[in-house]
Amino acid sequence: MDKPLNYVYHFILILNLAIVSLLSLVMYQTTFLVCEADQARIFLEQARYLPHVPWHVPVYAIGSFLILAVSGLLKRRLGESRTILTFLLFLADIAITFFIAYNLNFSYKGLFLFIGVGAFFFISKLPLRYIAIGLVMLGYIFSDYDIISVRLNLVSLQDYISFYGPSTQIPLYSIRSTLESLNLMLAILFFQFLIQSKVRENKEFIKVNNELSDKLHQLEILQAKLEESARLKERNRLAHEIHDILGHSLTSISTGLEACIELSKKGGAELHRRLMKIKSVTDKGLTDIRRSVRELKSDAIVKSSLLRALQELINDANALGDHQSVEFTIIGQAVPLEDDEEQTVYRLVQESLTNSFKYSESKAIDVSLRYTANQLSVSIIDDGKGCAQVKKHFGLEHIEEQIALLGGKVRFETAENCGFKTFATIPLRKGGKS
């Protein structure tokens, strides 16, 4: 429970102890003075009913209130683990409150407000809390002196105070009214703090939930990329194995068959025909394996070079975009790249175009590849709205990681109304040689 709620609760506890003590002592002291001043007959004529035994009132009222305080300590220790026991203690608190009200001749019912605050403070299970609040409300309504005095013979607090002169009555009424009003205001303050606490908890919950949703989305993206990476890695491994093992073997067989065919020309025609047939089947198998190896390569660059794949990507972007136009420029002599280099460049351009379409509201995007002897420079520049600073989310961070794995570098530049620019450099392992 929040500290402000804790402070208000204990303040209400102390205030109610003061009110119960004041009222019980007034009743005790008044009865004592009536008897000492030999005015019992006059007092009884005004009161109409016999009061409680004088010393019973403060002893029973204050003693019972201290039991309430001890019950609060027990409920705090029990916490949320023993909800049923806490609720049973709360029912006992209501009974004790009625007993205190009876000893005070039902002249004060604000104690039920204190018990109601305790329901919110100690009972966490909502159904039990609702039952407890309902019982407290009934107690507050029916513990009124005007209602109870119809059935019970009670001396009102006003009868006790009326014994004193005006100089004493006014302070007593003022103190009583002030304390009871303060008790009501503190109860209202408690519920105000309680509402603020719940609103704050809800905001924190929504914030944490949004953060978890964002993290979950990032994990899903990462998982998809990891699965794709693992799949591409496995496909490339199979492609290399097929190429290195079967391809090499079939090539050797084909070469040997060519030699056998040359030798068979001197032999029978049937042997030559059969060897030619075997050579034809072997060449066809080798062609099929090479085609399968190409098909096992990256999905993004299927049966085409990096430049063709990028051109198709940009053509699709221009065909689908309503307002954006994408220009593709190649500077220098293009050289073939390794598979991972092709994949990284393709993903860089793809991610940059996606971000420009989604966020920049750009009209024109320029994609350029500059080849030098040992390096490839890639730039993607749009004329969109830009932003005050670069916020690297998962996509940009993934690009940085992939380019770093190749030994390259990437930087992002932006400003308000100045578009978004991406510059990347990648060293070429082949160095311009195929």
Side-chain angles (χ1 to χ4, degrees):
M1 189 69 72
D2 291 349
K3 284 185 177 181
L5 291 174
N6 192 49
Y7 293 150
V8 173
Y9 173 80
H10 286 93
F11 198 0
I12 296 174
L13 172 68
I14 296 171
L15 180 63
N16 276 272
L17 175 60
I19 294 173
V20 170
S21 300
L22 173 66
L23 298 182
S24 60
L25 290 175
V26 166
M27 296 171 66
Y28 168 78
Q29 183 66 15
T30 303
T31 307
F32 178 78
L33 291 176
V34 166
C35 294
E36 286 293 318
D38 296 327
Q39 297 183 12
R41 182 172 178 274
I42 299 173
F43 176 75
L44 292 176
E45 287 177 351
Q46 294 176 345
R48 294 174 294 173
Y49 302 113
L50 289 173
H52 296 296
V53 178
W55 66 269
H56 285 182
V57 177
V59 172
Y60 289 168
I62 297 175
S64 299
F65 189 88
L66 293 177
I67 294 175
L68 284 181
V70 173
S71 175
L73 293 176
L74 289 176
K75 290 195 288 290
R76 182 185 294 274
R77 285 184 175 275
L78 291 174
E80 298 182 1
S81 59
R82 307 288 294 276
T83 309
I84 300 299
L85 185 55
T86 301
F87 180 72
L88 293 176
L89 284 174
F90 185 83
L91 295 180
D93 290 348
I94 294 177
I96 294 171
T97 303
F98 268 107
F99 181 70
I100 296 173
Y102 171 74
N103 280 276
L104 297 177
N105 291 335
F106 294 95
S107 58
Y108 174 62
K109 60 180 182 179
L111 196 56
F112 283 96
L113 293 177
F114 168 67
I115 298 298
V117 166
F120 286 91
F121 202 71
F122 297 115
I123 302 176
S124 58
K125 202 169 184 179
L126 288 180
L128 296 179
R129 180 187 291 178
Y130 292 150
I131 294 173
I133 294 170
L135 293 174
V136 169
M137 292 174 65
L138 290 175
Y140 185 84
I141 293 171
F142 292 105
S143 64
D144 187 83
Y145 172 83
D146 294 331
I147 297 175
I148 299 296
S149 61
V150 174
R151 292 289 183 181
L152 298 179
N153 297 330
L154 299 172
V155 179
S156 69
L157 183 66
Q158 184 176 355
D159 293 335
Y160 283 99
I161 297 178
S162 296
F163 170 77
Y164 300 97
S167 60
T168 305
Q169 288 183 20
I170 293 175
L172 287 176
Y173 280 125
S174 299
I175 294 172
R176 177 196 177 190
S177 177
T178 301
L179 293 178
E180 290 184 358
S181 299
L182 184 59
N183 182 61
L184 179 60
M185 288 187 291
L186 286 175
I188 295 173
L189 182 63
F190 176 87
F191 290 113
Q192 174 67 22
F193 284 152
L194 181 65
I195 292 171
Q196 291 178 351
S197 174
K198 294 302 179 183
V199 170
R200 185 166 57 253
E201 288 178 3
N202 288 339
K203 288 182 179 179
E204 292 176 356
F205 175 79
I206 292 172
K207 179 182 177 182
V208 171
N209 185 59
N210 290 338
E211 290 177 354
L212 288 175
S213 298
D214 185 54
K215 296 297 182 183
L216 180 61
H217 180 64
Q218 292 182 9
L219 286 175
E220 289 174 350
I221 295 175
L222 178 61
Q223 182 181 4
K225 289 185 178 293
L226 287 175
E227 290 176 354
E228 180 185 4
S229 176
R231 181 168 54 85
L232 291 175
K233 184 177 180 181
E234 181 63 16
R235 288 161 68 96
N236 287 333
R237 184 186 67 80
L238 290 174
H240 284 301
E241 287 186 1
I242 292 173
H243 180 272
D244 294 342
I245 298 173
L246 292 178
H248 176 72
S249 299
L250 290 176
T251 301
S252 298
I253 292 172
S254 179
T255 303
L257 286 173
E258 288 178 357
C260 291
I261 289 170
E262 290 297 324
L263 293 174
S264 69
K265 291 179 180 179
K266 300 176 181 180
E270 181 64 20
L271 175 62
H272 182 268
R273 186 183 67 79
R274 289 182 178 274
L275 288 174
M276 286 295 294
K277 179 65 175 177
I278 295 173
K279 175 68 166 59
S280 174
V281 172
T282 303
D283 289 344
K284 183 177 183 302
L286 185 58
T287 301
D288 291 341
I289 287 174
R290 286 170 176 167
R291 186 183 68 250
S292 299
V293 167
R294 287 195 300 270
E295 291 177 351
L296 280 172
K297 293 293 183 179
S298 170
D299 288 343
I301 312 173
V302 179
K303 299 181 183 179
S304 62
S305 66
L306 170 65
L307 298 182
R308 284 191 61 186
L310 289 176
Q311 187 63 61
E312 290 175 2
L313 176 66
I314 291 171
N315 289 342
D316 290 341
N318 285 325
L320 295 175
D322 295 332
H323 304 290
Q324 299 94 341
S325 64
V326 185
E327 296 292 333
F328 184 35
T329 306
I330 302 172
I331 303 172
Q333 181 64 41
V335 297
L337 308 180
E338 297 287 353
D339 291 341
D340 54 350
E341 294 171 339
E342 288 185 342
Q343 276 298 306
T344 300
V345 173
Y346 185 87
R347 295 304 182 198
L348 169 63
V349 176
Q350 186 182 51
E351 181 72 20
S352 299
L353 291 180
T354 300
N355 288 339
S356 292
F357 292 154
K358 287 176 64 176
Y359 305 117
S360 71
E361 300 178 5
S362 59
K363 302 297 183 182
I365 306 172
D366 180 62
V367 179
S368 66
L369 272 62
R370 179 185 294 273
Y371 289 89
T372 60
N374 298 298
Q375 180 175 279
L376 171 62
S377 300
V378 183
S379 66
I380 302 98
I381 302 172
D382 66 47
D383 62 352
K385 62 183 180 180
C387 55
Q389 59 181 3
V390 178
K391 296 181 180 179
K392 297 179 183 178
H393 295 294
F394 185 79
L396 297 184
E397 291 176 352
H398 183 67
I399 287 175
E400 286 185 332
E401 293 172 0
Q402 293 301 309
I403 292 179
L405 289 175
L406 299 177
K409 297 180 180 179
V410 61
R411 75 178 190 276
F412 309 101
E413 297 180 1
T414 187
E416 292 286 352
N417 301 316
C418 293
F420 195 94
K421 303 174 184 178
T422 302
F423 301 101
T425 56
I426 300 173
L428 303 179
R429 294 194 291 270
K430 289 186 177 180
K433 298 177 182 180
S434 58

